[in-house]
Amino acid sequence: MRAPSPLPSATGPSARSRWWALPAAAVCLALVAGCSLFPDGGGGDEPDGGGGDEQGETADPVTTRAVNGWVLDEAEAEVELHRVDDEHMVATLEVTNHGDYGPLWTHLVDDHGTHQPGYEETFLWDYFSGLSWLDPDGSQLHKPFHLPDRSCLCSHEDDDDGAQRGHISEGDTYSLYTVLAAPPEGVEELTLYSHFSLPFVDVPVNEGAPEGLDYTAPADEPEAEPDTAELETVVDSPDETTVAGQEQTEMHLASDVLFDVDESELTEEAEQVLERAAEQIDTADPGQVALDGHTDSSGDDSINDPLSQDRAENVQEALEGMVSVDVDFTADGHGSSDPIADNDSEDGKARNRRVTATMPVTLPAPQEQAEDESGGDGDGGQEQGRPVEDFDPVASPEGDFEVTLTELRHVSPGVALLAYRVDADEGAEDAVDPEFAFSYDRWLEMRHRGVYAVWLTDPGSERISSTLRVHPVGGGGDPWCACSPASGANLGSERMEAGESRDFFALMPVPGEQGAAVDVSIGELEDFEGVAITP
């Protein structure tokens, strides 16, 4: 059992005997809709545990989900997608409440909003803007068409025929719609992301407008435009951290591996690290790579600035002799002026001592990506592990709650949906809070609280992936996590009374080779080791 811990800092050479060769976007951010790796399955009901009965069986589409338990105790949501033309499609949602009267509208808005001045301008609370789809290349979330005033082409609370004052009564069904950009031609299914439930997976894209629905199309509102938000991944290892976004990939190479203390000459261990970096550059063929040297805050600028410059130049010289593609390298030193972690801790200082290689993203076609990763047989020759159904629940150290894995399935070759249930102990005397809505490391700092204390680890390479990060529309500011929310209208989502249960999720980059088993870490619990990722 590996004790849960912060993401590893770059503090020494890796003992790995092999290394996962990242594709051009560093972690194969190919949230492929309609990819041939995921053939059509039957049914639209939510699967038990999200996997098949036999190892390797492809999971079914999920078009129906339970509404988050902290929103409505016994409610379900069902989605459909309808491509109308090349410009737009319509997503419909039916929410049926089988339990007590409860809130609805505050959980239907886009909880990620935009980067605009003033919180009140982020989004409008009484519009159904909180449903988006994952881009086939995995670089973006596609959000509804919005007008300049931040209203969207979607259902509005004034249209409400089943809820009262933003709430919904027992036995009522409320029907909503939102207008989204149409996916690329040939895409036949999509994964839908929201904060009122777990994601809907492999939702079929039907052709033609929803029958009988009166809605406003983009052609009727020329000023309406769809929003998009950039997705970013973080995959960590003992000697580097790779951050992949829509436009660029950053490889943060650990100076503690590349150099001796206060030195700029490369160590013997540096060769292996730089050879792997050169392989990534060759795969990406980016045309240009910026190398930036950084130090921690020890010492002063008169030492740190030239040291960081010399280190960047020596890395450049080494890489120029290793790459096989034409690349325009630049090298700059920044001293301690651009930390990515807290300089008050040794772990943070180690992370700040780095040489960062930044290059533009060049993704291969999704199908080519899938074939490259799978090696043609879909499992990469790696241990596939056991399905989530085979794992017993893991109890907290205090025994006041336990966690059960319910889903670990691909939503693309390089991204997995992790879902799990938290059950509060029947005998708990006080309210139970598992406290998963925090971060161990400033590197993972998010804009608002989310249930993001979860990680996937590739046991062979020691690579650890964190939740996907959702950047604000328009850029700027800290990202949100692509996981269950725990702030704003969802504040207290983790707080449970004795005997209560809650379901949570996170979208995670797959840290190892296609088909390989992973270890799942959740908070400070004992790890789930050797878990299979269902295709």
Side-chain angles (χ1 to χ4, degrees):
M1 185 272 290
R2 178 181 61 80
S5 62
L7 292 177
S9 60
T11 54
S14 170
R16 296 172 300 173
S17 60
R18 66 174 179 82
W19 184 76
W20 179 53
L22 295 168
V27 288
C28 181
L29 266 182
L31 294 161
V32 179
C35 175
S36 63
L37 288 178
F38 310 118
D40 291 338
D45 295 333
E46 183 169 355
D48 295 331
D53 294 332
E54 300 179 8
Q55 184 167 323
E57 181 180 343
T58 302
D60 290 337
V62 181
T63 59
T64 301
R65 288 287 196 187
V67 174
N68 291 331
W70 59 91
V71 178
L72 296 167
D73 286 337
E74 298 180 47
E76 64 180 14
E78 183 175 5
V79 296
E80 289 185 3
L81 292 176
H82 299 265
R83 188 201 310 266
V84 181
D85 54 33
D86 292 341
E87 182 182 17
H88 80 282
M89 69 177 175
V90 177
T92 61
L93 175 74
E94 282 198 351
V95 179
T96 302
N97 186 17
H98 303 291
D100 295 336
Y101 174 84
L104 178 64
W105 270 100
T106 53
H107 299 276
L108 298 176
V109 296
D110 178 10
D111 205 35
H112 287 157
T114 64
H115 184 61
Q116 293 189 9
Y119 182 78
E120 71 282 355
E121 297 183 39
T122 300
F123 48 72
L124 299 182
W125 281 95
D126 47 0
Y127 286 83
F128 176 38
S129 57
L131 192 68
S132 54
W133 57 273
L134 298 174
D135 193 87
D137 71 3
S139 63
Q140 295 176 322
L141 279 175
H142 292 262
K143 299 167 179 272
F145 277 81
H146 279 86
L147 293 165
D149 65 358
R150 299 305 302 160
S151 63
C152 64
L153 303 187
C154 59
S155 295
H156 183 273
E157 187 174 353
D158 290 344
D159 305 326
D160 188 344
D161 59 1
Q164 302 84 37
R165 298 182 301 280
H167 289 58
I168 185 169
S169 296
E170 181 179 3
D172 282 343
T173 295
Y174 187 45
S175 298
L176 310 97
Y177 78 89
T178 191
V179 180
L180 301 159
E185 184 179 357
V187 172
E188 297 179 354
E189 53 192 33
L190 291 167
T191 291
L192 298 179
Y193 177 88
S194 80
H195 271 165
F196 55 80
S197 71
L198 303 186
F200 303 89
V201 182
D202 293 345
V203 178
V205 179
N206 301 299
E207 296 296 331
E211 185 176 352
L213 178 66
D214 183 16
Y215 73 96
T216 302
D220 299 324
E221 289 285 357
E223 291 187 292
E225 295 183 354
D227 275 343
T228 56
E230 178 184 350
L231 294 175
E232 181 180 79
T233 69
V234 177
V235 180
D236 221 351
S237 74
D239 51 37
E240 73 177 56
T241 299
T242 302
V243 181
Q246 177 192 357
E247 298 181 352
Q248 66 182 28
T249 294
E250 298 175 357
M251 294 180 287
H252 299 277
L253 309 178
S255 288
D256 289 5
V257 180
L258 300 177
F259 312 100
D260 289 327
V261 177
D262 294 332
E263 299 293 333
S264 60
E265 295 300 317
L266 293 167
T267 64
E268 292 182 3
E269 292 85 359
E271 182 176 0
Q272 185 179 8
V273 176
L274 294 179
E275 284 178 348
R276 295 195 297 260
E279 290 175 4
Q280 294 187 61
I281 294 171
D282 283 341
T283 301
D285 193 9
Q288 56 186 8
V289 175
L291 298 169
D292 295 280
H294 304 272
T295 69
D296 63 25
S297 60
S298 302
D300 55 39
D301 292 344
S302 64
I303 297 175
N304 290 335
D305 288 355
L307 177 63
S308 63
Q309 179 70 40
D310 291 344
R311 286 178 167 181
E313 290 176 354
N314 286 340
V315 169
Q316 175 181 341
E317 181 178 354
L319 287 175
E320 285 176 337
M322 294 178 177
V323 299
S324 58
V325 296
D326 292 332
V327 179
D328 179 16
F329 286 98
T330 60
D332 290 295
H334 304 272
S336 61
S337 64
D338 190 16
I340 58 173
D342 190 347
N343 272 306
D344 294 332
S345 67
E346 290 304 314
D347 182 81
K349 286 183 177 180
R351 194 181 290 280
N352 288 330
R353 297 190 293 268
R354 68 201 191 277
V355 174
T356 299
T358 304
M359 57 185 175
V361 166
T362 54
L363 277 170
Q367 183 59 37
E368 294 175 3
Q369 220 167 30
E371 292 173 353
D372 288 345
E373 289 190 348
S374 66
D377 60 8
D379 63 13
Q382 304 302 310
E383 176 60 43
Q384 291 186 338
R386 296 182 290 145
V388 293
E389 296 91 341
D390 286 359
F391 287 83
D392 293 328
V394 172
S396 67
E398 297 78 14
D400 55 344
F401 68 88
E402 65 179 22
V403 172
T404 303
L405 295 183
T406 57
E407 295 182 54
L408 185 59
R409 63 179 293 175
H410 281 284
V411 293
S412 85
V415 177
L417 166 62
L418 170 66
Y420 54 97
R421 187 180 68 248
V422 179
D423 296 295
D425 185 72
E426 293 279 359
E429 297 182 0
D430 300 318
V432 174
D433 188 341
E435 297 185 349
F436 298 151
F438 63 92
S439 174
Y440 288 113
D441 195 303
R442 180 186 165 190
W443 176 261
L444 297 177
E445 187 170 336
M446 304 288 182
R447 178 177 294 257
H448 294 304
R449 282 165 54 95
V451 188
Y452 42 65
V454 294
W455 299 272
L456 299 183
T457 301
D458 174 37
S461 67
E462 302 178 26
R463 298 184 66 82
I464 300 178
S465 67
S466 308
T467 61
L468 284 176
R469 295 150 63 88
V470 183
H471 281 268
V473 173
D478 292 327
W480 288 268
C481 97
C483 64
S484 295
S487 63
N490 297 284
L491 187 65
S493 60
E494 291 188 284
R495 187 178 177 86
M496 296 173 287
E497 300 300 326
E500 280 194 307
S501 298
R502 297 281 167 82
D503 289 290
F504 302 100
F505 81 91
L507 292 179
M508 312 286 294
V510 177
E513 296 180 1
Q514 182 76 17
V518 296
D519 296 340
V520 178
S521 303
I522 302 177
E524 298 181 352
L525 303 181
E526 180 180 341
D527 286 358
F528 298 88
E529 297 183 345
V531 186
I533 305 178
T534 304

